[in-house]
Amino acid sequence: MTDTGLTRAAAAADEKTEHDWFEIAVAAALPMAIALLALFFYLKAPVFMTANNWIAISVQVSALMTISIPFAMLLMAGKIDLSVGSTLALCGVVAGLSFEPLGITGAVLLTLAVGTGVGLINGVLVSSIGMSPIIVTLGTLTLIRGVAQWLAPNPIFGFPEEFLVIGYERVLGLPVLTWIMLAVIALGAAVMTLLPIGPQIVALGVNQRAAFLVGLRVKAIGVGLYAATGFFVAVAALMSISRINSAPAGTLGIGVELSVLTAVLLGGIPFTGGKGSVLRVVLGVWLLGMLSNGLILMNVPTELSLMTTGTVLIVAAGLDVLRSRRG
């Protein structure tokens, strides 16, 4: 090999080593952030590290986690749904209005059908017709919020006691909401690691055209992912209203889309899709839950809490850009 060839080979090896170290640093950043944040809040408020408080955090993030897992899979495929907050509000309102005429079972089934239906509409417009996912879901964000407020101008209260059990009952020492969240995490991890659809979802995010050419049902997968996201948003809506015993159309789900996007970006899924890990998304959601809980324990004003959350979103977006450039 010539001197020039040796020089190029050495440069390539150095670049690969640098890239490997960068990937290791990025992979370790989220667990380290969680550990440091836990230590900081423990020093400021020792009650933060108690078992009861961590169970409380699991309840606080349960609905967000339930939405974030399918949302992450959607983003891995190169799609996005910004209407999840409004869909949460609509599903909560539909459930609240349906308990009396349909009973608990009927209300739950109708709510799940409404959430899935909204997801199907988004999926058809984006995946089948080819419209922009950001434009479509921004449109449905506003439209669905308007429908929810039209159906219930005032907050709905007074749900059946049998339904509210979901929000406060415990099984084997853990709240029902926590068990639901754990089931969704397990399902998401199984889909992405054990089923053939997992690599196909990632393939769509890498190159949709290439995925189509190798025989993947690109449109069907896209529509299915949107429908699944809508379904689990409906599940999260039922979880949310069972916890607060209310369905306020004007405020329920406000800001959820930003929280979900922040958690997913923190979890290492690029905004353009093509790779990602469900378990790292779990860590991203948990970090947001810890942050919110710790700030409350420290009696931080609401406006400062919002500023902190916004800063985390900017940091997550910056990490996404940095990962893309290094890639």
Side-chain angles (χ1 to χ4, degrees):
M1 185 180 292
T2 65
D3 291 343
T4 302
L6 289 172
T7 301
R8 289 178 178 175
D14 290 341
E15 185 176 349
K16 182 180 184 302
T17 301
E18 183 182 351
H19 180 74
D20 290 342
W21 277 110
F22 174 79
E23 290 296 328
I24 292 172
V26 170
L30 185 55
M32 283 294 296
I34 290 175
L36 291 175
L37 197 62
L39 178 61
F40 173 77
F41 285 134
Y42 171 69
L43 294 175
K44 294 293 183 180
V47 70
F48 178 83
M49 291 298 288
T50 61
N52 284 337
N53 188 60
W54 281 64
I55 290 175
I57 294 175
S58 74
V59 171
Q60 292 168 8
V61 303
S62 58
L64 180 64
M65 189 79 77
T66 299
I67 299 173
S68 297
I69 299 302
F71 187 98
M73 296 162 65
L74 191 64
L75 195 61
M76 288 182 205
K79 313 291 184 184
I80 193 169
D81 185 354
L82 298 176
S83 68
V84 290
S86 296
T87 304
L88 182 76
L90 177 61
C91 290
V93 165
V94 168
L97 294 174
S98 303
F99 283 125
E100 186 173 344
L102 299 180
I104 295 177
T105 302
V108 168
L109 291 176
L110 178 60
T111 302
L112 295 177
V114 168
T116 306
V118 172
L120 282 172
I121 292 172
N122 285 333
V124 169
L125 293 176
V126 173
S127 296
S128 295
I129 298 178
M131 298 175 67
S132 165
I134 293 180
I135 299 300
V136 167
T137 57
L138 276 176
T140 51
L141 177 153
T142 306
L143 172 63
I144 294 169
R145 178 71 64 177
V147 172
Q149 292 179 324
W150 173 69
L151 289 173
N154 299 311
I156 306 169
F157 299 96
F159 302 146
E161 188 65 27
E162 296 84 354
F163 172 75
L164 295 178
V165 166
I166 299 173
Y168 64 79
E169 190 62 65
R170 292 194 176 206
V171 176
L172 300 177
L174 290 179
V176 173
L177 293 177
T178 302
W179 284 114
I180 295 173
M181 177 188 73
L182 292 174
V184 173
I185 293 172
L187 179 60
V191 168
M192 293 305 300
T193 58
L194 301 179
L195 299 182
I197 189 66
Q200 294 176 14
I201 290 172
V202 175
L204 260 65
V206 173
N207 191 318
Q208 183 168 306
R209 178 64 179 170
F212 173 77
L213 292 176
V214 298
L216 297 187
R217 301 175 62 188
V218 172
K219 293 182 179 180
I221 294 173
V223 173
L225 286 172
Y226 273 104
T229 301
F231 175 87
F232 283 103
V233 170
V235 173
L238 293 169
M239 295 165 68
S240 298
I241 67 172
S242 71
R243 183 181 166 207
I244 64 177
N245 192 20
S246 174
T251 58
L252 186 63
I254 289 290
V256 164
E257 54 282 332
L258 293 180
S259 296
V260 170
L261 187 58
T262 302
V264 170
L265 291 176
L266 282 174
I269 299 179
F271 196 77
T272 53
K275 66 177 181 178
S277 164
V278 167
L279 295 182
R280 287 190 64 82
V281 171
V282 171
L283 294 180
V285 175
W286 193 258
L287 186 145
L288 291 183
M290 289 173 55
L291 183 63
S292 174
N293 178 269
L295 292 175
I296 291 173
L297 292 178
M298 291 174 59
N299 294 317
V300 172
T302 302
E303 57 271 20
L304 184 57
S305 179
L306 290 173
M307 292 164 61
T308 304
T309 304
T311 301
V312 172
L313 175 57
I314 294 172
V315 171
L319 288 174
D320 179 49
V321 172
L322 184 59
R323 281 191 296 262
S324 299
R325 290 180 177 176
R326 296 291 299 189

